Amino acid sequence: MPVRMTSQREIILQELQKSRQHLTADELFRVVRKKMPRISLATVYRNLELLSEAGVIAKLEVSGRQRHFDSEVVGHDHVTCVLCHRVENVRLEGIKEDCPSHGVVDGYIIKGRRLEFFGLCPRCQKKNRAIKGDDTMGCGCGCAKKMLTDEQKKVLQAMADCDGPCAAKDIAAATGLDAKMVSGKIADLKKQGFVDSPVRCKYGITAEGRTAMKG
Amino acid sequence: MPVRMTSQREIILQELQKSRQHLTADELFRVVRKKMPRISLATVYRNLELLSEAGVIAKLEVSGRQRHFDSEVVGHDHVTCVLCHRVENVRLEGIKEDCPSHGVVDGYIIKGRRLEFFGLCPRCQKKNRAIKGDDTMGCGCGCAKKMLTDEQKKVLQAMADCDGPCAAKDIAAATGLDAKMVSGKIADLKKQGFVDSPVRCKYGITAEGRTAMKG
DNA sequence: CCTTGATTTAATAATAGTTATCAATTAGAT
DNA sequence: ATCTAATTGATAACTATTATTAAATCAAGG
């Protein structure tokens, strides 16, 4: 049962190695499709599975819905961006020695350990300075929702209540908040995708905004 | 929009708290159904989501296909059994201080960190002394497949080749292995679920055995 | 060069886990 | 007790992944 090096397999491996990120099957599919438009998603999955079983690439077991793959096989830890879910390697000298990766813990025979960091990647730091609250570990993970302030919630609520796009001053009147502050909040909310502006100077709540409001 | 305390919600929370484990929605569903047979799986999912958003319970983002929930909300690390996938808390004094949970790493602003251990739980240690190899971290995770020895593979192959249940001596003849050794291997494989015995003293390969053989 | 037999592929169906939908029910305020 | 929005059970839909299958591709012999 020889393993053939098909052009599909080659491109998949190539693109994964080229990308310094830890792509999901779907992300890789989109990249590969540019060079080979007729390739099937199933082929990407199949080959990622095959390559990881062969030890050529690593199937990461990081948290989250989708599986990520890594062209670097040797064990290392990861940092995940809580906003964009990008996964990257992290190499912390000193940590490895401090954190035991073998031995017995609570009756378990430890075969290995993995250290996952959660934070904001440089790109998201720039994009989103508005993030408030640091309960990001509240649920035992780093993927807490973007918290809305009470004012932001009020603004969104007012938008949800009035049907159709409404002006900032209407919101100010409805919420009883200062008009200038409302404008600022709207700008922030727009940046986060919770508010859009279908008409110039008129604003409305987005579907994303509605779901954010529930939390 | 008040939150009501329904009997379903109460039982779900109660059972999760009662169990010292980190149950999946499905596991919890099975437990709860004993007390409330008409409850829907969707209700369990809905309430786990709601309770975790309210911060009453924690939605664990440990690796794997299914999501686990924890009645203990404060951040802590976990150990996962590589065989039965049981997830338990782990409290290692000293570790927390050694592993930074805030600060800046590789440009990321770290909001939190989680340490995942992989190993064998006490129960699986007893059940499965036959585990060979310690490449459990080979794929960057701890969930490597149970490795089969060459002899075990031969036995499985022979079973796969002959249709219908076959006796140990047939396997011995087909593989050229010692009959006594074959009996031992079959017992091991049966314990691992790769072989079953539809008829007394006759054995066959299971679906699980077939997939294990491919690896 | 052409057949043979195996691997691999694209397309698609199937599956597992989870989430959304919706009519009927129910908790909790009035 | 009445009313109303929250919640439920049942089930459809959805997402990520895996399995199936007929056709395409390849390696090696004749």
Side-chain angles (χ1 to χ4, degrees):
Chain A
M1 45 181 125
V3 173
R4 291 185 192 158
M5 183 47 69
T6 62
S7 51
Q8 288 90 337
R9 190 162 296 162
E10 200 170 357
I11 290 182
I12 288 168
L13 183 55
Q14 215 172 71
E15 292 299 324
L16 183 62
Q17 285 170 341
K18 193 188 296 176
S19 156
R20 306 296 302 148
Q21 292 176 57
H22 300 63
L23 302 177
T24 63
D26 190 64
E27 288 167 340
L28 195 49
F29 173 56
R30 265 174 277 173
V31 173
V32 168
R33 196 159 47 167
K34 285 180 189 162
K35 302 210 162 183
M36 187 175 273
R38 300 190 51 73
I39 198 170
S40 160
L41 175 58
T43 301
V44 176
Y45 272 107
R46 212 183 310 111
N47 281 303
L48 287 174
E49 183 63 30
L50 192 143
L51 288 167
S52 73
E53 274 189 12
V56 181
I57 65 174
K59 195 195 291 187
L60 298 186
E61 299 283 337
V62 296
S63 316
R65 306 261 69 64
Q66 283 175 275
R67 182 165 288 170
H68 293 252
F69 293 84
D70 189 352
S71 62
E72 206 175 338
V73 179
V74 295
H76 51 260
D77 303 306
H78 297 101
V79 56
T80 304
C81 180
V82 297
L83 289 186
C84 66
H85 303 108
R86 177 192 310 275
V87 177
E88 290 195 70
N89 294 342
V90 63
R91 273 196 197 290
L92 287 172
E93 315 305 331
I95 293 274
K96 300 234 176 215
E97 294 74 48
D98 292 342
C99 294
S101 64
H102 287 272
V104 175
V105 173
D106 286 355
Y108 275 67
I109 295 176
I110 301 301
K111 293 287 193 176
R113 70 107 245 272
R114 185 157 40 84
L115 193 47
E116 299 289 340
F117 288 94
F118 302 95
L120 291 172
C121 69
R123 196 180 304 187
C124 286
Q125 286 169 39
K126 274 179 214 151
K127 264 198 214 161
N128 212 316
R129 299 246 176 242
I131 295 295
K132 299 283 165 50
D134 44 349
D135 69 333
T136 39
M137 286 300 281
C139 64
C141 80
C143 59
K145 275 196 198 136
K146 306 169 204 180
M147 286 291 282
L148 294 175
T149 64
D150 284 343
E151 286 88 357
Q152 288 180 318
K153 277 185 193 165
K154 271 189 192 167
V155 170
L156 281 178
Q157 189 59 58
M159 277 190 188
D161 290 342
C162 95
D163 43 331
C166 49
K169 67 172 166 52
D170 302 331
I171 306 290
T175 57
L177 296 170
D178 174 59
K180 232 175 204 165
M181 184 211 236
V182 168
S183 302
K185 296 294 172 206
I186 289 176
D188 275 354
L189 289 166
K190 209 162 69 145
K191 215 174 285 173
Q192 290 181 53
F194 299 152
V195 160
D196 62 358
S197 177
V199 187
R200 191 170 138 81
C201 298
K202 296 263 188 178
Y203 306 93
I205 186 168
T206 63
E208 211 179 330
R210 280 177 207 282
T211 60
M213 218 168 52
K214 287 181 206 157
Chain B
M1 48 185 120
V3 173
R4 292 181 190 164
M5 182 47 69
T6 62
S7 52
Q8 288 90 338
R9 190 161 297 162
E10 200 170 356
I11 290 183
I12 287 167
L13 183 55
Q14 215 173 70
E15 292 298 325
L16 183 62
Q17 285 171 342
K18 195 187 295 176
S19 156
R20 306 296 301 149
Q21 292 176 57
H22 300 64
L23 302 177
T24 62
D26 190 66
E27 288 167 340
L28 195 49
F29 174 58
R30 265 174 276 174
V31 173
V32 168
R33 196 158 48 168
K34 286 179 187 161
K35 303 211 163 184
M36 186 175 275
R38 300 189 52 71
I39 198 170
S40 160
L41 175 58
T43 301
V44 175
Y45 271 107
R46 216 182 302 115
N47 281 301
L48 287 173
E49 183 64 28
L50 192 143
L51 289 167
S52 73
E53 274 189 12
V56 181
I57 64 173
K59 196 195 288 185
L60 299 187
E61 298 283 336
V62 296
S63 316
R65 308 262 68 65
Q66 284 175 276
R67 183 165 287 171
H68 293 252
F69 294 84
D70 189 351
S71 62
E72 207 176 338
V73 178
V74 296
H76 50 260
D77 303 305
H78 298 101
V79 55
T80 304
C81 180
V82 298
L83 289 187
C84 65
H85 303 109
R86 176 192 311 276
V87 177
E88 290 194 71
N89 294 342
V90 64
R91 273 196 198 291
L92 288 172
E93 316 306 331
I95 293 275
K96 299 230 177 219
E97 294 75 48
D98 292 342
C99 293
S101 64
H102 285 271
V104 175
V105 173
D106 287 355
Y108 276 67
I109 296 176
I110 302 301
K111 293 286 193 177
R113 69 107 246 274
R114 186 157 39 84
L115 193 49
E116 300 288 340
F117 289 94
F118 303 95
L120 291 172
C121 69
R123 196 179 305 186
C124 287
Q125 285 170 40
K126 274 179 213 150
K127 264 198 214 161
N128 213 317
R129 299 245 178 243
I131 294 295
K132 302 278 166 50
D134 45 349
D135 69 333
T136 39
M137 286 300 280
C139 63
C141 79
C143 58
K145 277 195 200 140
K146 305 170 203 182
M147 287 291 282
L148 295 174
T149 63
D150 284 344
E151 286 89 355
Q152 288 179 320
K153 277 185 192 165
K154 269 189 192 166
V155 170
L156 282 178
Q157 188 59 57
M159 277 190 189
D161 290 343
C162 95
D163 44 332
C166 49
K169 66 172 166 49
D170 302 330
I171 306 290
T175 57
L177 296 171
D178 173 58
K180 234 177 201 163
M181 184 213 237
V182 167
S183 300
K185 297 293 173 207
I186 289 176
D188 275 354
L189 290 165
K190 207 160 71 144
K191 215 175 285 176
Q192 290 181 52
F194 298 153
V195 160
D196 61 357
S197 176
V199 187
R200 193 171 138 80
C201 299
K202 295 265 187 178
Y203 306 92
I205 185 169
T206 63
E208 212 179 326
R210 280 178 206 282
T211 60
M213 219 167 52
K214 287 181 205 157

